[in-house]
């Protein structure tokens, strides 16, 4: 990933969010290919599995990107409303209470009279102009998110390209998915300071269980 793309993605997603996008993509690919096995049965072939996995994650990536854009806009309007509310609040006690409500609880004890004064100054100088719609960096981040979800499918579809027997290819694909889930959990564990091994096992085991539940629910409809 280039430096520019990396900076856009860093601004849009935390390492946990980034890993979550990949996990979602992997789980979608597992669920769709396994459910395809249930609904198609003996007529299963590797080309259909390949198309199902890629098509599913492309659609999921587009949905995820669109939801990111909506989230950014709603949060922008919410923050705009908060700043207007603070600007209109004259009573100092009510002003401080609203500032505290807007911050994470752990930060409230760190606020000082000087901190509140700086927030008051920022609120007074805030423009009442309606927040702009999506700037270019939002679309760039949404595109990277879509690409991230879609790209998570590629390791899982390699067996469909190399193995002719669809059942063997499907099992190999799911094994690759579990291995990637474990690696993602390992990296999240190291990033968060938790046990890397334990995190890998939790993500791999939990992801496999969720995928299995999705397949069973799909099977009930088939």
């Amino acid at each position: 990933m280039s430096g520019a793309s990396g900076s856009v993605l860093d601004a849009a997603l935390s390492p946990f969010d980034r890993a979550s996008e990949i996990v979602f993509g992997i789980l979608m690919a597992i669920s769709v290919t396994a459910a395809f096995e249930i609904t198609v049965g003996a007529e299963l072939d590797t080309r259909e599995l390949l198309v199902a996995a890629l098509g599913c994650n492309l659609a999921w990536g587009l949905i995820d990107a669109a939801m990111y854009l909506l989230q950014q806009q709603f949060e922008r309007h919410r923050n705009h409303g908060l700043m207007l509310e603070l600007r209109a609040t004259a009573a100092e006690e009510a002003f401080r209470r609203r500032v505290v409500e807007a911050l994470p609880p752990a930060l409230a004890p760190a606020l000082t009279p000087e901190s509140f004064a700086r927030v008051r100054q920022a609120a007074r100088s805030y423009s009442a102009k309606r927040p702009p719609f999506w700037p270019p960096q939002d679309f760039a981040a949404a595109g990277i998110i879509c690409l991230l979800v879609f790209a998570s499918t590629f390791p899982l579809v390699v067996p469909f390209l190399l193995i002719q027997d669809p059942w063997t290819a499907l099992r190999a694909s799911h094994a690759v998915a579990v291995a990637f889930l474990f690696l993602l959990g390992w990296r999240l564990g190291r990033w968060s300071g938790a046990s890397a091994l334990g995190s890998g096992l939790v993500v791999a085991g939990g992801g496999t269980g969720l995928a299995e539940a999705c397949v069973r629910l799909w099977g009930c409809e088939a």
Side-chain angles (χ1 to χ4, degrees):
M1 179 178 292
S2 67
S5 298
S7 62
V8 170
L9 190 56
D10 289 340
L13 300 174
S14 70
F16 179 83
D17 293 328
R18 211 174 306 174
S20 297
E21 297 292 345
I22 300 174
V23 169
F24 295 154
I26 291 174
L27 294 185
M28 288 297 293
I30 295 176
S31 302
V32 167
T33 54
F36 208 79
E37 174 187 2
I38 292 175
T39 56
V40 175
E43 302 301 321
L44 191 71
D45 68 54
T46 53
R47 183 180 179 279
E48 291 176 337
L49 289 170
L50 176 66
V51 172
L54 291 175
C56 166
N57 272 21
L58 177 58
W60 181 254
L62 291 171
I63 292 170
D64 223 12
M67 292 305 298
Y68 169 79
L69 289 173
L70 287 176
Q71 178 189 12
Q72 291 300 105
Q73 192 63 18
F74 283 128
E75 286 185 356
R76 196 171 287 120
H77 277 274
R78 183 173 180 272
N79 293 335
H80 176 68
L82 173 61
M83 292 301 291
L84 293 181
E85 181 183 350
L86 291 176
R87 194 177 71 166
T89 304
E92 186 63 24
E93 182 178 351
F95 177 84
R96 294 190 177 193
R97 183 170 59 251
R98 188 65 185 93
V99 170
V100 170
E101 289 173 354
L103 291 175
L107 293 180
L111 294 174
T112 64
E114 291 76 16
S115 302
F116 286 112
R118 286 195 293 269
V119 175
R120 170 78 78 177
Q121 183 179 5
R124 283 173 176 167
S125 61
Y126 182 76
S127 172
K129 185 179 179 182
R130 185 179 182 274
F133 283 98
W134 302 281
Q137 57 265 30
D138 279 1
F139 286 103
I144 295 172
I145 289 170
C146 180
L147 182 62
L148 197 63
V149 174
F150 183 59
S152 68
T153 318
F154 288 104
L156 279 63
V157 301
V158 169
F160 303 138
L161 299 173
L162 301 179
I163 303 173
Q164 292 189 350
D165 179 64
W167 305 100
T168 304
L170 185 62
R171 300 297 176 262
S173 174
H174 290 175
V176 171
V178 173
F180 264 80
L181 289 173
F182 177 82
L183 289 175
L184 286 168
W186 179 284
R187 294 199 63 175
L188 282 175
R190 295 193 64 179
W191 168 74
S192 66
S195 166
L197 177 61
S199 300
L201 292 174
V202 167
V203 173
T208 303
L210 287 172
E212 178 69 17
C214 291
V215 172
R216 295 302 175 189
L217 290 172
W218 188 311
C220 290
E221 298 294 329

